[in-house]
Amino acid sequence: MSPLLEVNGLKKHYSLGRPLFGHSREYVHAVDGVSFHIDKAETLSLVGESGCGKSTVGRAVLRLFPITAGEVRLGGERIDNLSAGRLRNMRRKVQVVFQDPVSSLNPRMRVRNILAEPIKNFGLVRSRAGLNARLDDLMKKVGLPADALNRWPHEFSGGQRQRIGIARALAADPELIVCDEAVSALDVSVKAQIVNLLQDLQRELGLALLFISHDLAVVEHMTHRVAVMYLGKIVELAPRHELFARPRHPYTVALLSAVPIPDPKAKRSRIILKGDVPSPINPPKGCRFNTRCPFVFDRCRSEEPELRPVEEGHLAACHLNDQPVSESQLRGVEAMARRIW
Amino acid sequence: MALLEVEDLQTHFRTPDGINRSVDGVTFSIESGQTLALVGESGCGKSVTAMSILRLIPEPPGKMAGKIRFMGRNLLDLSDKEMRGIRGNDISMIFQEPMNSLNPVLTIGRQIGETLRLHQGLSQKEAEQRAVDMLSRVGIPEPTRRVGEYPHQLSGGMRQRVMIAIALACNPKLLIADEPTTALDVTIQAQILDLVRDLKTDIGAAILLITHDLGVVAEVADRVIVMYAGRKMEEASVPELFANPKHPYTEGLLGAIPRLGSSLRGATARLSEIPGMVPNLKKQIDGCLFSERCYKATDICRKIAPGLEEKAPGHVAACHYASKEMVPA
Ligand SMILES: Nc1ncnc2c1ncn2[C@@H]1O[C@H](COP(=O)(O)OP(=O)(O)OP(=O)(O)O)[C@@H](O)[C@H]1O
Ligand SMILES: Nc1ncnc2c1ncn2[C@@H]1O[C@H](COP(=O)(O)OP(=O)(O)OP(=O)(O)O)[C@@H](O)[C@H]1O
Ligand SMILES: [Mg+2]
Ligand SMILES: [Mg+2]
């Protein structure tokens, strides 16, 4: 059986208008050849630094723009080149929850109408009674009182608005929800509530989640697998335990080591990345991480490492994982990974 | 004398359906070279506290009372002109919403340079050079190219770093940072937090750090205040607060955070939640503001609001049931 979502060789390049005199047109290589899949009822998290292309991947899956190359498949069917008519049904199956619950809800619509819109648009109910039953059910699912339906978005707190955002996504009866920094703006206690809610809904409805976040502790708490992106590419992809216990890419190790730990007594060794932060307009030759990698050697500057299996289900794109690499270098990454715990 | 002394600050807003007691009698101080963190649930009054210090509260509908002494002078007594000389110079602020605080029609370089020319009298050229330096210090790639760009051409994280660059450009005596790293990924965050630490050690600046992220607090702050519904609930040194929280609300906050490494310890149970919601700040509440949500609450909590009391040396909390250690008189 094919996975729910398949992304193969996805590229998205943004053109930067107004080429400088005497120069050719420039492109932002926002996403530059990304492949992954998500199964039904599975959470795959996308992590990586700001600007590495996470949201762009999310938007490509939502089909919010034409992609530059590659393909996106939902339930085995290509959706990146669908006609408008067929697109509608696909849009129902893939929904999104954004970071900012405030600006993503129409302030001039009552909650009832915000939620009824997708239900009606996609023809999911036949009668007024059916609609009302569905709306009540949605409120229950996201833990809001039924009378919330008659109120306006500004009457709710940030956490409640995020619940409304989730209810709106659920209203379309989706199979996959793209959560783009969906819990990042929430404070500690509300974040815990929303994370628990997403996990409950996944269990109950068999939802798949593409969970985009820079909060690695939340990711570790709720994901099944993790894809680490760097400058438009996936550099490591592994099941949760594998990734957190035995990272095989120096960038992943650096990322994990940089997470602030809520324990003032914790003594972790931190890897502060030095060197130039490269630009997605002119990505470095060879490995894209070579300008900042503490383990860089000659081959990294000339040859781009492929994303290859290093263990069952664990992919990494780093020359250090190759056989000819010296013992000491390999020990370096492992030792570094061990030191951060 | 501490650099900043806030005494019984009250900032209230008049709204159509009553007075919103956003900040209701908050007292604290910060020494030079010290980082004080302000934490608490959304809406508890952290940003309003910060805006009050900078006198950026619109009056009306806002109204401030109490004292805000900065280097001995009560800021609430200063003229608008005197206040403008302090803002962006002696006291600078990194705002929570970077997009709203950058001017969309000015290039990044102009915006950083403007501050420097205004407050430090640098020439256009010097200011521009300094702007490029600042951009590279906050980790923006290709700074020479980016100085010429406009805010909409940058990613959210980059705009946040530009704000940080502007705030740090004048070497302020007090930096107020309102969620400075929320929009940033962890590697850049680590870099920015280092920068903030440098500011503290190199020029002895004081820092008021507002954040939801208790990890960031543990990492960079010296002391921490936990706010709830406009009041201070607990204050202690960072090691003390994390090891020995006295207020049930603080306990709840610490219990609700997912911890990195949880899957390695096999512990990925549900996150614990603090039940219920923040009370309406427009209603008069006689008892403890947290009592509705507190697992320890009894009748006395619902009737009488507990005052702040020193429960251990240098550790205050407002709770009838917080354990009290011997405090030397
Ligand atoms: N409409 C656009 N035009 C030009 N460049 C764009 C556009 N949208 C995004 N980019 C660029 O594409 C790259 C990837 O952006 P994207 O928003 O996917 O990053 P991200 O990983 O989601 O970052 P963040 O963590 O900051 O949200 C960035 O360099 C960004 O500046
Ligand atoms: N100009 C204003 N007029 C009326 N009420 C206001 C105004 N500014 C803030 N408030 C209210 O003051 C209270 C405290 O808000 P504040 O922005 O300080 O919260 P916060 O602790 O910074 O929250 P967050 O973590 O979400 O940033 C809120 O109830 C808010 O609605
Ligand atoms: Mg994004
Ligand atoms: Mg705020």
Side-chain angles (χ1 to χ4, degrees), chain B residues 52-223:
Chain B
S52 303
I53 295 171
L54 282 172
R55 289 248 320 258
L56 290 174
I57 298 292
E59 291 178 284
K63 193 168 177 352
M64 286 191 278
K67 292 201 175 72
I68 300 173
R69 273 188 295 268
F70 179 69
M71 303 201 294
R73 289 198 294 176
N74 185 359
L75 298 184
L76 296 186
D77 294 338
L78 299 188
S79 69
D80 287 350
K81 181 155 176 280
E82 287 171 307
M83 211 46 225
R84 275 196 298 275
I86 288 182
R87 253 182 248 134
N89 194 20
D90 287 332
I91 307 181
S92 67
M93 175 147 177
I94 302 168
F95 290 92
Q96 198 169 359
E97 277 130 27
M99 201 46 194
N100 304 342
S101 26
L102 286 174
N103 187 336
V105 299
L106 289 184
T107 63
I108 302 306
R110 271 290 290 283
Q111 301 195 46
I112 303 175
E114 208 80 326
T115 325
L116 290 163
R117 283 175 38 204
L118 198 71
H119 293 297
Q120 314 230 305
L122 298 192
S123 73
Q124 174 106 24
K125 213 169 162 120
E126 289 167 328
E128 231 158 66
Q129 186 46 49
R130 192 64 196 284
V132 174
D133 287 350
M134 288 311 300
L135 287 182
S136 73
R137 276 183 71 189
V138 295
I140 292 200
E142 300 188 84
T144 21
R145 169 198 195 113
R146 294 291 185 179
V147 280
E149 293 192 339
Y150 294 87
H152 74 269
Q153 289 170 292
L154 306 182
S155 80
M158 281 186 190
R159 287 196 289 262
Q160 183 71 348
R161 280 178 268 169
V162 169
M163 287 303 303
I164 294 168
I166 293 174
L168 299 184
C170 284
N171 293 332
K173 293 193 175 66
L174 171 65
L175 172 69
I176 302 177
D178 195 351
E179 300 284 359
T181 57
T182 322
L184 303 177
D185 53 273
V186 288
T187 54
I188 302 292
Q189 171 170 279
Q191 218 173 317
I192 298 288
L193 294 179
D194 265 4
L195 253 158
V196 169
R197 265 186 293 241
D198 286 351
L199 186 74
K200 190 170 90 166
T201 45
D202 295 354
I203 63 166
I207 296 162
L208 178 62
L209 175 71
I210 297 175
T211 178
H212 295 313
D213 189 335
L214 291 161
V216 171
V217 173
E219 211 126 287
V220 300
D222 303 305
R223 293 187 67 73

Side-chain angles (χ1 to χ4, degrees), chain A residues 7-251:
Chain A
V7 172
N8 296 316
L10 173 69
K11 291 190 183 180
K12 176 69 188 176
H13 296 174
Y14 294 104
S15 140
L16 285 177
R18 51 174 181 89
L20 293 173
F21 182 72
H23 290 251
S24 54
R25 183 176 281 274
E26 290 183 303
Y27 292 92
V28 179
H29 300 75
V31 173
D32 215 10
V34 156
S35 305
F36 61 88
H37 74 269
I38 306 181
D39 285 323
K40 187 171 155 48
E42 187 191 32
T43 302
L44 175 74
S45 297
L46 275 186
V47 304
E49 69 193 352
S50 177
C52 71
K54 305 180 295 293
S55 297
T56 305
V57 170
R59 275 180 252 142
V61 169
L62 289 161
R63 256 223 62 168
L64 295 181
F65 47 55
I67 62 180
T68 309
E71 57 169 37
V72 180
R73 287 175 184 270
L74 193 70
E77 189 191 3
R78 268 188 86 158
I79 60 168
D80 52 279
N81 55 1
L82 283 184
S83 63
R86 308 274 300 285
L87 193 57
R88 217 171 85 113
N89 192 36
M90 170 265 148
R91 286 223 196 276
R92 179 187 70 71
K93 291 183 186 166
V94 186
Q95 293 289 314
V96 62
V97 177
F98 288 110
Q99 164 166 12
D100 186 357
V102 183
S103 63
S104 64
L105 297 173
N106 183 341
R108 281 177 295 276
M109 275 167 91
R110 285 184 202 271
V111 173
R112 169 180 303 279
N113 297 328
I114 292 175
L115 301 183
E117 202 172 53
I119 300 179
K120 287 184 194 154
N121 281 353
F122 296 120
L124 296 174
V125 292
R126 295 222 173 70
S127 65
R128 179 122 220 126
L131 177 66
N132 286 335
R134 210 182 153 80
L135 290 172
D136 288 341
D137 179 52
L138 280 172
M139 290 285 104
K140 276 207 201 79
K141 279 208 174 77
V142 300
L144 287 172
D147 68 13
L149 285 170
N150 298 321
R151 288 155 56 191
W152 304 92
H154 74 260
E155 296 177 54
F156 295 91
S157 69
Q160 288 175 316
R161 274 186 272 212
Q162 199 56 296
R163 285 176 194 266
I164 298 170
I166 293 171
R168 182 180 51 185
L170 292 176
D173 202 9
E175 294 172 11
L176 170 71
I177 298 186
V178 176
C179 300
D180 194 347
E181 304 284 2
V183 300
S184 308
L186 305 173
D187 62 58
V188 180
S189 51
V190 179
K191 189 182 287 186
Q193 293 171 357
I194 301 293
V195 165
N196 286 339
L197 173 65
L198 286 170
Q199 288 189 292
D200 293 345
L201 290 170
Q202 175 165 65
R203 223 166 290 134
E204 195 182 321
L205 307 171
L207 281 173
L209 301 176
L210 176 59
F211 191 79
I212 298 172
S213 177
H214 56 245
D215 188 334
L216 285 147
V218 169
V219 163
E220 182 181 8
H221 180 81
M222 64 177 292
T223 203
H224 296 103
R225 289 183 300 134
V226 187
V228 182
M229 285 186 71
Y230 187 80
L231 215 61
K233 296 230 167 183
I234 291 178
V235 295
E236 183 158 14
L237 198 163
R240 170 174 71 183
H241 186 272
E242 272 284 303
L243 189 107
F244 285 92
R246 278 179 296 281
R248 296 291 292 270
H249 195 287
Y251 177 63

Side-chain angles (χ1 to χ4, degrees), chain B residues 246-313:
Chain B
K246 295 280 183 190
H247 200 288
Y249 177 58
T250 312
E251 271 176 52
L253 285 181
L254 289 171
I257 21 180
R259 311 255 170 177
L260 194 72
S262 61
S263 70
L264 309 188
R265 295 185 289 271
T268 44
R270 277 174 83 79
L271 296 173
S272 65
E273 298 176 15
I274 304 175
M277 272 167 48
V278 189
N280 185 343
L281 299 177
K282 292 167 198 160
K283 272 205 322 233
Q284 180 71 42
I285 297 171
D286 293 326
C288 171
L289 293 171
F290 188 59
S291 59
E292 270 179 53
R293 305 171 70 184
C294 182
Y295 73 98
K296 283 184 176 166
T298 60
D299 280 346
I300 181 176
C301 306
R302 288 181 274 269
K303 287 205 190 84
I304 302 169
L308 279 166
E309 195 188 357
E310 192 165 27
K311 304 285 184 185

